């Protein structure tokens, strides 16, 4: 599998931008497309990874499916910041739909499987609820549609999540001193968890922590987005 050939120049959009649809501007996420046909697999990553997480899976499935790997804003391999505050869950769900349609997906005739991990899995469930006619199958990794941790597990979850929220606030609101501290805190936790991104030598920054910020702004409920969820 030659990674240099993973971009289909007729379909791929490399970068973060907005696409016009009628009078509406829609967010299109950084993505790459490999393979052809009407059987799509969309790969959604989580914190603090990128679409590279799925390289081996894409190499296998691109022979029989059209594989779309999507990178969330601020999670690019170069560590650049697309949006300081990051899109909220509502915007990200619509951006996933806009990205799929941008590469030619037609929910009336095409078959879509979502492969999702961590925050990508949370977004995938929200996507299914908002656009049920788009999804035929879901493969959820590391997170389910319902999680009931024990008290000890809940404390551990709260500790690492609030650590990342604090790192983001330092990074976002204290640029001179807070950014290096926030980045250090985020990088340290990613190393502690043994994140694949760290093992690959890719940058990890506090700019990636915005999903946790939105999560707590929503009262620890990812489903509190646009009416209908």
């Amino acid at each position: 599998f030659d990674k240099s050939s993973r971009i289909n120049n007729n379909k791929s959009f490399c970068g973060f931008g907005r696409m016009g649809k009628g009078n509406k501007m829609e967010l299109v996420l950084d993505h790459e497309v490999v393979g052809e046909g009407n059987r799509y697999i969309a790969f959604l990553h989580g914190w603090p990874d990128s679409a590279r997480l799925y390289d081996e899976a894409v190499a296998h499935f691109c022979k029989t499916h059209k594989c779309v790997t999507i990178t969330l804003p601020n999670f690019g391999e170069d560590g650049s910041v697309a949006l300081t505050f990051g899109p909220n869950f509502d915007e990200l769900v619509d951006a996933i739909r806009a990205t799929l349609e941008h590469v030619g997906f037609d929910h009336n005739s095409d078959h879509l499987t979502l492969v999702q991990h961590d925050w990508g899995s949370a977004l995938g469930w929200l996507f299914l609820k908002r656009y049920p006619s788009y999804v035929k199958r879901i493969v959820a990794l590391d997170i389910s549609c319902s999680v009931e941790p024990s008290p000890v597990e809940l404390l551990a979850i709260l500790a690492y999540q609030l650590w990342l929220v604090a790192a983001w606030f330092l990074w976002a609101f204290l640029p001179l001193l807070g950014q290096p501290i926030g980045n250090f805190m985020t990088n340290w936790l990613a190393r502690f968890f043994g994140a694949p991104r760290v093992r690959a030598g890719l940058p990890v920054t506090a700019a990636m922590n915005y999903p946790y910020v939105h999560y707590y702004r929503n009262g620890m409920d990812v489903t509190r987005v646009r009416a209908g969820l």
Side-chain angles (χ1 to χ4, degrees):
F1 177 56
D2 181 3
K3 292 182 181 179
S4 66
S5 67
R6 66 179 294 121
I7 298 178
N8 179 331
N9 291 323
N10 293 324
K11 293 296 184 181
S12 284
F13 176 93
C14 297
F16 174 83
R18 294 185 181 273
M19 174 183 68
K21 186 175 182 180
N23 295 323
K24 181 181 178 182
M25 296 298 291
E26 294 194 308
L27 195 63
V28 176
L29 302 176
D30 183 14
H31 62 273
E32 294 176 353
V33 181
V34 184
E36 298 178 347
N38 67 344
R39 299 173 66 198
Y40 284 72
I41 303 179
F43 295 88
L44 306 174
H45 68 85
W47 182 93
D49 296 305
S50 72
R52 297 285 76 78
L53 181 70
Y54 296 111
D55 277 350
E56 292 184 7
V58 171
H60 176 78
F61 287 107
C62 70
K63 302 169 186 176
T64 55
H65 293 73
K66 191 171 186 176
C67 297
V68 184
T69 53
I70 297 174
T71 297
L72 299 177
N74 298 357
F75 285 79
E77 294 183 44
D78 59 357
S80 60
V81 178
L83 289 172
T84 299
F85 291 92
N88 58 36
F89 300 127
D90 188 65
E91 294 168 331
L92 284 171
V93 169
D94 279 344
I96 292 170
R97 176 195 51 75
T99 304
L100 290 171
E101 291 176 353
H102 179 74
V103 301
F105 176 76
D106 182 351
H107 71 95
N108 293 313
S109 59
D110 296 335
H111 181 289
L112 174 64
T113 297
L114 292 179
V115 177
Q116 51 199 42
H117 173 257
D118 190 68
W119 275 116
S121 197
L123 292 170
W125 290 119
L126 291 177
F127 184 88
L128 174 65
K129 289 182 178 180
R130 181 172 300 172
Y131 301 110
S133 64
Y134 281 58
V135 182
K136 298 296 184 183
R137 184 180 295 112
I138 280 183
V139 180
L141 309 172
D142 192 38
I143 185 171
S144 69
C145 57
S146 178
V147 178
E148 297 180 1
S150 69
V152 173
E153 291 170 335
L154 179 60
L155 286 175
I157 292 170
L158 288 173
Y160 92 79
Q161 290 182 349
L162 291 175
W163 175 274
L164 293 175
V165 170
W168 183 89
F169 273 97
L170 287 170
W171 172 85
F173 294 105
L174 297 173
L176 294 180
L177 182 61
Q179 282 194 0
I181 296 175
N183 287 339
F184 173 82
M185 292 172 63
T186 305
N187 198 285
W188 179 87
L189 190 62
R191 290 180 179 277
F192 177 80
F193 285 148
R197 186 186 185 100
V198 173
R199 296 197 299 269
L202 298 177
V204 177
T205 73
M208 302 173 178
N209 300 346
Y210 66 87
Y212 295 99
V213 177
H214 290 306
Y215 175 60
Y216 281 92
R217 286 183 63 192
N218 287 347
M220 301 173 66
D221 183 2
V222 296
T223 65
R224 289 180 58 188
V225 292
R226 194 170 60 196
L229 296 187

